[in-house]
Amino acid sequence: MENNKVWFITGASKGLGLQLTKKLLSKGYKVAATSRNEKALVEVVGNPSASFLPLEMDLTNEQSVKNAVEVTISHFKTIDVLVNNAGYGLLGALEELTDAEARKNYEVNVFGLLNVIRNTMPYLRANRSGHIFNISSVGGYYGGFPGWGIYCSTKFAVAGLTESLAAEIKPFGINATIVYPGYFRTDFLKDSSLLLPQNPIADYKEVRQSENAHKEDINENQQGDPEKLAEVLIKMSHEQNPALHLFLGEDAYNMANQKIESVQKELAQWKSVSVSTGF
């Protein structure tokens, strides 16, 4: 596989973003890696070089995003692969999460991602080539988890806009892939990446159970290997006809199939109602 492509990765100081950045650099790719703190990137990846460009970027500030993209173009002359990885989890019942808590999750997970797409697309479009990976979640396909409604809805949004994006950019020779990871052993379930409601409501016992399970039992016991996930993304970036929907992890694969079977069953059960509404 050719390794002369330039990758632009958001949320690269930890988790999947960090694993992917390290893997790419070890294989000789060029990487522009962004984080809210450039120093944190240098500490975990290394000093800037001809192939590694650490960038401090605020996803929610479009000017900050624009500046980071322009510095990347100045340094590497192009961007070939965009990975919208930055985001965070929010675990709380819809009733107990405040408007501010919900909006902040959207600002980062959805509108921040859109800021990056909006400012990188002119270069990809001019090149008539490229690949955009938008990191959703299996929770962006199946949302039946108590306490994950806002987070799942941000990831559903990422999936929906990526389907439309794929259709919009296909004429320019650019591909888009929605990545739906299951549980991978990263920092995602730690306090720095998973926020809880400021005003929990005692009645939501299942939500509290979910909090405890994710914090105490699932954290650091996830079956997914982020290094293998990084390898998959690199290989997928070289596919002539890459996946639009990419479920990663056996858990994600199984959950997706369970939802598909459930929807098909309901379609069949309620078909007479569904088709009864025409003139």
Side-chain angles (χ1 to χ4, degrees), residues 45-80:
V45 179
N47 291 319
S49 66
S51 57
F52 173 53
L53 178 64
L55 295 163
E56 193 161 303
M57 187 181 82
D58 178 359
L59 271 180
T60 64
N61 182 318
E62 185 153 19
Q63 189 58 50
S64 176
V65 174
K66 183 177 172 61
N67 292 345
V69 171
E70 288 178 349
V71 170
T72 300
I73 295 299
S74 176
H75 187 80
F76 290 131
K77 309 307 176 193
T78 191
I79 294 172
D80 299 300

Side-chain angles (χ1 to χ4, degrees), residues 1-4 27 29 231 234-239:
M1 293 188 295
E2 293 180 11
N3 62 355
N4 59 351
K27 291 176 178 288
Y29 292 86
E231 287 279 8
I234 295 169
K235 288 177 183 175
M236 190 62 67
S237 74
H238 291 276
E239 291 285 344

Side-chain angles (χ1 to χ4, degrees), residues 89 91 148 183-196 210-211 213-222:
L91 204 176
W148 290 91
Y183 287 109
F184 278 78
R185 205 167 297 179
T186 67
D187 296 327
F188 179 73
L189 295 180
K190 295 181 180 176
D191 292 342
S192 59
S193 297
L194 179 60
L195 301 188
L196 302 177
S210 181
E211 285 179 11
H214 282 86
K215 291 282 189 180
E216 305 299 329
D217 302 328
I218 301 173
N219 185 33
E220 296 187 349
N221 291 309
Q222 301 97 320

Side-chain angles (χ1 to χ4, degrees), residues 23-35:
K23 182 70 69 176
L24 287 163
L25 291 171
S26 73
K27 291 176 178 288
Y29 292 86
K30 298 179 177 68
V31 181
T34 81
S35 173

Side-chain angles (χ1 to χ4, degrees), residues 65-205:
V65 174
K66 183 177 172 61
N67 292 345
V69 171
E70 288 178 349
V71 170
T72 300
I73 295 299
S74 176
H75 187 80
F76 290 131
K77 309 307 176 193
T78 191
I79 294 172
D80 299 300
V81 184
L82 165 62
V83 182
N84 278 307
N85 167 67
Y88 70 93
L90 182 62
L91 204 176
L94 294 176
E95 179 188 354
E96 63 190 358
L97 288 169
T98 65
D99 180 69
E101 287 172 312
R103 286 179 185 273
K104 184 180 177 185
N105 206 210
Y106 269 84
E107 282 294 330
V108 174
N109 292 6
V110 181
F111 292 107
L113 174 144
L114 285 170
N115 282 339
V116 180
I117 290 172
R118 195 179 300 113
N119 284 279
T120 53
M121 267 305 302
Y123 301 101
L124 299 176
R125 188 160 42 81
N127 289 344
R128 288 298 192 269
S129 67
H131 196 148
I132 298 174
F133 290 98
N134 287 334
I135 309 300
S136 179
S137 162
V138 68
Y141 190 78
Y142 173 77
F145 310 103
W148 290 91
I150 293 298
Y151 174 76
C152 284
S153 69
T154 68
K155 294 304 187 176
F156 266 80
V158 168
L161 68 87
T162 307
E163 285 190 356
S164 186
L165 175 70
E168 293 169 358
I169 64 181
K170 188 177 181 181
F172 308 123
I174 306 167
N175 295 308
T177 296
I178 311 159
V179 183
Y180 303 92
Y183 287 109
F184 278 78
R185 205 167 297 179
T186 67
D187 296 327
F188 179 73
L189 295 180
K190 295 181 180 176
D191 292 342
S192 59
S193 297
L194 179 60
L195 301 188
L196 302 177
Q198 296 168 353
N199 305 301
I201 298 171
D203 273 354
Y204 286 103
K205 292 182 174 58

Side-chain angles (χ1 to χ4, degrees), residues 231-277:
E231 287 279 8
V232 167
L233 295 191
I234 295 169
K235 288 177 183 175
M236 190 62 67
S237 74
H238 291 276
E239 291 285 344
Q240 193 168 357
N241 296 298
L244 171 57
H245 299 276
L246 182 61
F247 292 88
L248 293 180
E250 189 174 353
D251 53 353
Y253 180 86
N254 290 337
M255 276 188 261
N257 271 315
Q258 286 169 12
K259 174 162 182 179
I260 290 166
E261 289 171 10
S262 174
V263 171
Q264 287 179 328
K265 185 178 177 182
E266 287 196 294
L267 279 170
Q269 180 181 354
W270 298 102
K271 179 181 177 183
S272 62
V273 175
S274 297
V275 301
S276 70
T277 55

